[in-house]
Amino acid sequence: HHNGKLYYIVGGIYILPYAKSILESGDVVQGLLLDTTWQIMPMYVTSIIMASTLNTGIPIGFAFGSGEDKSLYTQHFETFLEQTGIDLSKFVIESDQGSALVSIFKDKSVTHLACLRHLLVSLKLSKYSYAAGEIIKSVSLLDYNNALTFFSSKFPQIKKEDELKELNSVLAKIGMEYKDGSINLIDEE
């Protein structure tokens, strides 16, 4: 209630007081993390933005709204620029691959890294998810090459066209395809 009227807050953003000094600290910040949850504020979606340094996330702000949409993420970019003079689009940002996030990153020309955990979760819907997961989780070039060799030797057993299509659909999520008996990188990004 304010001045005898009932209002409902539909959204907002809070930038932590130390956010500007962290983001302006030179080479300390290696990128930003952007994640969204429904668990923090009842009846609101909350998008938390963190500065990433030395494998640690430092919260620098959060936005909240009625849904996980482009306007929720736009608040971060517009308000940070307006209040701190910092253009968040100059940072590399890691997040999930939600359509609203992908859209705002494209509009702002942001270098986007897909969160490995979210990527792996998105692969769980297929019988070829394990193979794609093992390839993408390789921690060394040796492990990567071994995974490609191993799965390339298993995939020729797939004879049905619809199963090959499903395999390539899963592999496409990690920028690869199976063709002519081998798994090939088709999209480095």
Side-chain angles (χ1 to χ4, degrees):
H1 287 91
H2 180 70
N3 292 335
K5 291 185 178 180
L6 179 63
Y7 292 88
Y8 182 77
I9 298 171
V10 295
I13 185 167
Y14 176 75
I15 299 173
L16 280 83
Y18 55 79
K20 182 175 180 171
S21 64
I22 287 174
L23 294 174
E24 289 180 334
S25 61
D27 293 335
V28 174
V29 175
Q30 287 120 4
L32 302 176
L33 305 169
L34 189 56
D35 202 4
T36 304
T37 181
W38 286 260
Q39 304 300 316
I40 295 176
M41 300 172 68
M43 300 172 36
Y44 293 100
V45 175
T46 307
S47 171
I48 303 167
I49 190 160
M50 295 181 281
S52 178
T53 181
L54 302 173
N55 203 30
T56 302
I58 303 166
I60 57 172
F62 67 90
F64 64 95
S66 59
E68 187 177 2
D69 56 18
K70 196 172 174 179
S71 67
L72 178 69
Y73 302 116
T74 301
Q75 285 187 75
H76 288 294
F77 290 92
E78 291 178 356
T79 308
F80 264 87
L81 186 59
E82 178 184 305
Q83 297 297 315
T84 69
I86 296 174
D87 181 3
L88 297 181
S89 65
K90 71 179 184 177
F91 292 93
V92 173
I93 301 178
E94 178 184 317
S95 72
D96 65 36
Q97 297 170 299
S99 59
L101 284 163
V102 171
S103 177
I104 191 74
F105 294 155
K106 184 178 180 183
D107 288 354
K108 301 285 184 184
S109 300
V110 170
T111 300
H112 177 230
L113 300 177
C115 169
L116 180 59
R117 186 188 73 75
H118 285 98
L119 177 60
L120 291 172
V121 167
S122 77
L123 297 176
K124 285 188 177 180
L125 303 174
S126 167
K127 62 183 171 182
Y128 303 111
S129 300
Y130 175 78
E134 289 301 300
I135 293 168
I136 200 75
K137 291 187 303 184
S138 298
V139 295
S140 69
L141 186 56
L142 177 65
D143 287 348
Y144 174 75
N145 287 330
N146 285 341
L148 291 180
T149 300
F150 176 77
F151 290 112
S152 289
S153 72
K154 297 294 180 188
F155 293 157
Q157 298 169 11
I158 303 169
K159 302 297 182 198
K160 295 180 181 175
E161 191 62 38
D162 60 329
E163 288 189 20
L164 284 170
K165 188 174 182 179
E166 180 182 350
L167 168 63
N168 276 314
S169 175
V170 171
L171 290 175
K173 288 185 177 187
I174 62 169
M176 306 191 102
E177 75 173 349
Y178 174 72
K179 187 175 180 182
D180 301 326
S182 66
I183 302 168
N184 303 298
L185 185 63
I186 58 169
D187 183 356
E188 277 192 35
E189 287 187 28

